[in-house]
Amino acid sequence: MRARPRRRTPFVLALLVVVGAFGFTLALFDGAPGRAWEAFLVNLLFWLGVAQGGVVVSASLYLTQARWGGAAVYRLAEAFASFVPLGFLLFWVLVPGREVVFPWIDHPVPEKAAWLNAPFLFARDGIGLLVLTALTIWFVRVSRRGDSRAWAESGDTIAEPPPAIRRLAPTLILTYVVVYSVLAFDLVMSLSPVWYSTLFGAYFFAGAYWSALAAMGLVASWRVESGRPVLHDIGKLVFAFSIFWVYLLWSQYLPIWYAGLPEETFFVVPRVHRLPWGALGWTALILVWVIPFVVLMGRKGKRTPAILGTVCAVGLVGMWIERYVLVVPSLSPAFIPFGWVEALVTAGFVGAFALCTRAGLRHVPVLAPEDAT
């Protein structure tokens, strides 16, 4: 059994939050407000995506009646859920920075003015996140009830999940698909308001879903000893959905490359084919897809905590870079703005996410070694 975290951990995490808030505030008043808002938006999209994606993973496991890991896998998927309400509150921090973040406020696009206006954007995104947050809290409470735990542990029966779960799980997943598609259009695509892609919403929420699986794999590699079949199963999910993510990436890139229309290629070319942003774009691809594909293809990589944990950790870094590459070049196309501002804001989000996750991790048991079957 692994050692318990030290008691000073909450203090260190709270200190990170304070440092992040201080760095964000200092940047706003020290001549770098654009970089502060860019870093804030990137981290909000990434960490909220991990938290919300984990709850959706739990819902999808219920819908597929997955009981291969017992109740522990559901608790693991829901461990990040406490950040979802905080993420909803942090979304409203964007309101005072709207003129910096959204270029179409100062330079309206007449044909899109009905959609791209600040009151309507914050209203629809805020309502969507509120509904999704309420469904998340409700779903997690029901999932942690005794009847849900008993069902998850009764793998030798053909019983369906409890009725409340059967109603909530599809509702949560469909709401997630709609809300995160709209967030992708509003908080990423609208930063380059001339560009459009009908597949971008699916690509965005699939990335958040994979991020949650990678976070589960990272936590499982810490709490699960070698030889547990559940570790192997989580590794297979990380492997499979990294392929699904790159499939959506390619499905979006191929028609843009083939058609060669300027109103489509101007968004993609700087992020893939030109320096400095192209290097980061390829780095994200390597970390999110190439490394998981190569390392987790075999059995050993999925069942060895050190290997699976490392792959998931670098994959999460890659997905953070991917969110960074989606957002920041639209606002800072000529250079990569990464320095103390971005580092401190990211540290603050890491501290806040970890503090929220600690409560959820208490519901995840530390599993003892078990020989492969």
Side-chain angles (χ1 to χ4, degrees), residues 40-41 44-45 88 90-106 109 112-130 178-193:
F40 182 89
L41 178 58
L44 176 64
L45 293 174
F88 168 71
L90 290 174
F91 164 76
W92 296 103
V93 177
L94 291 172
V95 173
R98 61 192 180 277
E99 294 184 359
V100 179
V101 173
F102 303 116
W104 41 262
I105 293 181
D106 290 333
V109 182
K112 298 183 179 181
W115 181 263
L116 293 182
N117 62 84
F120 187 31
L121 182 145
F122 282 100
R124 63 178 177 262
D125 291 355
I127 292 173
L129 285 172
L130 177 62
V178 172
V179 171
Y180 268 66
S181 294
V182 174
L183 290 179
F185 299 149
D186 287 348
L187 301 184
V188 180
M189 190 186 300
S190 79
L191 304 185
S192 297

Side-chain angles (χ1 to χ4, degrees), residues 56 59 63 132 135 167-181 205:
V56 175
L63 285 185
L132 194 54
L135 284 173
R167 291 190 295 267
L168 276 174
T171 303
L172 175 67
I173 292 173
L174 292 176
T175 304
Y176 167 78
V177 167
V178 172
V179 171
Y180 268 66
S181 294
F205 68 68

Side-chain angles (χ1 to χ4, degrees), residues 4-76:
R4 294 182 178 180
R6 297 180 179 179
R7 293 182 179 180
R8 65 182 181 183
T9 300
F11 172 78
V12 174
L13 297 177
L15 183 61
L16 286 178
V17 175
V18 172
V19 169
F22 174 77
F24 177 72
T25 305
L26 181 61
L28 290 180
F29 295 98
D30 194 37
R35 291 175 57 186
W37 288 114
E38 290 167 5
F40 182 89
L41 178 58
V42 169
N43 280 284
L44 176 64
L45 293 174
F46 175 76
W47 295 106
L48 184 56
V50 174
Q52 189 63 70
V55 182
V56 175
V57 168
S58 177
S60 62
L61 292 175
Y62 275 114
L63 285 185
T64 56
Q65 300 192 35
R67 288 181 280 185
W68 39 264
V73 175
Y74 292 90
R75 301 294 83 76
L76 179 60

Side-chain angles (χ1 to χ4, degrees), residues 350-373:
V350 170
F353 184 84
L355 280 174
C356 292
T357 301
R358 283 174 59 85
L361 289 178
R362 296 191 185 101
H363 296 274
V364 182
V366 178
L367 301 176
E370 177 179 292
D371 293 332
T373 56

